[in-house]
Amino acid sequence: MQEGVVPRFLTRRTFVTMSCSAAIAAAANAGTSKPWRVGLVTSGKGDHVLGWFRDAFKARGYQEGKDLIIEFREANGRYSLLPNLVAELVALKPDVIIAEATPAIAAAQRATSTIPIVMAPSTDPIGSGFVKSFAKPGGNITGIANMFGDLTAKMLDVIRLLFPKVRKIGVLASNNPTHMATFEAAAKAAGSIGVSAQRFVAANPEDLDKTFAAMQAADCEVVYVLADPIRPALPSIALKYMMPTVYQITSYPDRGGLMAYGPKIEALFVLAADYVDRILKGANPADLPVEQPTKFEFVINLQTARALHLAVPERVLLLADRVIE
């Protein structure tokens, strides 16, 4: 089910680009005691995100603490905290701000129109007003679009394959401003295959338990989780209520989620690090086209399927890029 495989020749090109990047970064900071300062704000829990960015910057020749300082703030899924977290970063006068997910991007956009902002990633950058177009962003914001909205219909097809008799799904949302449009797309796709969809909102991580109870009381047979920063408790709560749950974030099955289909998340953050690298070297974010993922994966956790007493059809297993035994 993997799409958009990158040709082999890009492997060498990527290596050469990264090698040149490291040399240029070293030269740029030679003879100066002032390191680059990068602000990183995450809408969710950011430990993995921070680790991925550290690795990506190191691969590009930056030495954290010497020529690079990362100022890190995390909202842990409480989006109301984001304006203050971003204000703290802006006060530090970073060279670039990396904003993870739409809530953080929106907060950063309200806080500054001059500091470059890298989206990592955004579900609907044009509809959200972050950029004028993918080809010419036109302001201080550029970065990655994740295509989650475009993948919604395909995920409903997968749900139908695994649950051929399903009649009602619960769509789990948060206060993410993109979720209403994504829910409407999900409801339309579900309706086209004879399935009804009802939206349930868990504004904060502590709301998840009661939201699953509400979905169970509403006779939802399957839960579809809209893309959002990782909420670590989700898989265990879904299992507690014995509700089959599917995700757009492909790292959930590694945490005990049943299945997921979407872009490889770590690759999006690595790509965002390239934007930061180019901006630090003098590129104007207004002229850096927004990129979209080219690789997607379908992941199934058979341990969770067995715990839910689900038999995964062979045809579904054959579609999977990765099966967790």
Side-chain angles (χ1 to χ4, degrees):
M1 196 163 178
Q2 189 167 322
E3 302 176 11
V5 178
V6 177
R8 286 185 180 179
F9 72 86
L10 286 184
T11 302
R12 183 176 183 275
R13 178 185 296 177
T14 301
F15 174 77
V16 172
T17 300
M18 289 172 59
S19 298
C20 293
S21 174
I24 295 171
N29 280 316
T32 178
S33 60
K34 183 181 178 182
W36 300 114
R37 190 177 297 273
V38 174
L40 169 59
V41 57
T42 64
S43 300
K45 186 171 177 58
D47 50 352
H48 284 86
V49 178
L50 178 60
W52 287 329
F53 274 113
R54 279 177 164 160
D55 290 343
F57 287 131
K58 184 178 180 180
R60 284 152 184 76
Y62 295 94
Q63 298 180 54
E64 191 175 352
K66 184 177 181 181
D67 56 13
L68 178 71
I69 294 174
I70 300 176
E71 302 287 357
F72 174 57
R73 302 291 187 276
E74 59 181 348
N76 286 304
R78 293 172 177 81
Y79 301 156
S80 61
L81 301 178
L82 285 166
N84 287 337
L85 296 178
V86 172
E88 290 176 10
L89 290 179
V90 170
L92 296 173
K93 299 181 179 179
D95 298 287
V96 182
I97 292 175
I98 305 167
E100 181 256 356
T102 295
I105 301 165
Q109 183 187 41
R110 289 190 294 269
T112 178
S113 60
T114 55
I115 299 172
I117 297 168
V118 173
M119 306 180 294
S122 168
T123 296
D124 183 12
I126 296 175
S128 298
F130 299 147
V131 300
K132 293 179 180 178
S133 72
F134 277 36
K136 287 284 187 179
N140 66 317
I141 303 176
T142 188
I144 318 301
N146 56 36
M147 294 180 63
F148 284 127
D150 297 336
L151 298 175
T152 297
K154 182 167 286 188
M155 195 67 233
L156 266 294
D157 290 338
V158 174
I159 289 174
R160 172 59 91 188
L161 280 175
L162 188 54
F163 307 100
K165 297 181 179 180
V166 67
R167 289 292 175 264
K168 183 176 182 179
I169 65 171
V171 180
L172 181 62
S174 70
N175 284 340
N176 189 319
T178 66
H179 279 182
M180 180 54 76
T182 308
F183 165 72
E184 290 171 354
K188 182 178 180 181
S192 69
I193 57 174
V195 177
S196 66
Q198 183 176 345
R199 185 174 69 105
F200 295 82
V201 178
N204 294 302
E206 59 268 24
D207 300 324
L208 288 170
D209 196 284
K210 66 181 181 183
T211 304
F212 267 83
M215 287 189 284
Q216 189 177 68
D219 296 323
C220 296
E221 301 160 88
V222 178
V223 177
Y224 180 35
V225 180
L226 299 184
D228 231 7
I230 290 289
R231 298 183 178 198
L234 252 175
S236 60
I237 293 174
L239 193 58
K240 171 185 172 181
Y241 286 92
M242 293 297 288
M243 299 192 74
T245 303
V246 300
Y247 305 84
Q248 292 185 311
I249 304 296
T250 56
S251 56
Y252 269 115
D254 295 295
R255 297 170 178 262
L258 175 61
M259 69 178 187
Y261 177 64
K264 293 185 177 183
I265 296 300
E266 182 178 355
L268 299 185
F269 294 123
V270 171
L271 188 55
D274 283 334
Y275 277 86
V276 175
D277 187 38
R278 283 180 278 175
I279 290 169
L280 294 181
K281 293 180 175 65
N284 185 345
D287 300 325
L288 291 177
V290 174
E291 294 191 39
Q292 300 179 77
T294 59
K295 291 186 177 181
F296 305 87
E297 62 177 355
F298 177 37
V299 188
I300 300 175
N301 187 319
L302 289 184
Q303 296 177 16
T304 302
R306 287 191 289 269
L308 292 168
H309 311 298
L310 292 175
V312 180
E314 186 68 21
R315 66 183 182 277
V316 176
L317 290 175
L318 290 174
L319 290 173
D321 299 291
R322 191 158 56 92
V323 176
I324 299 171
E325 298 285 354

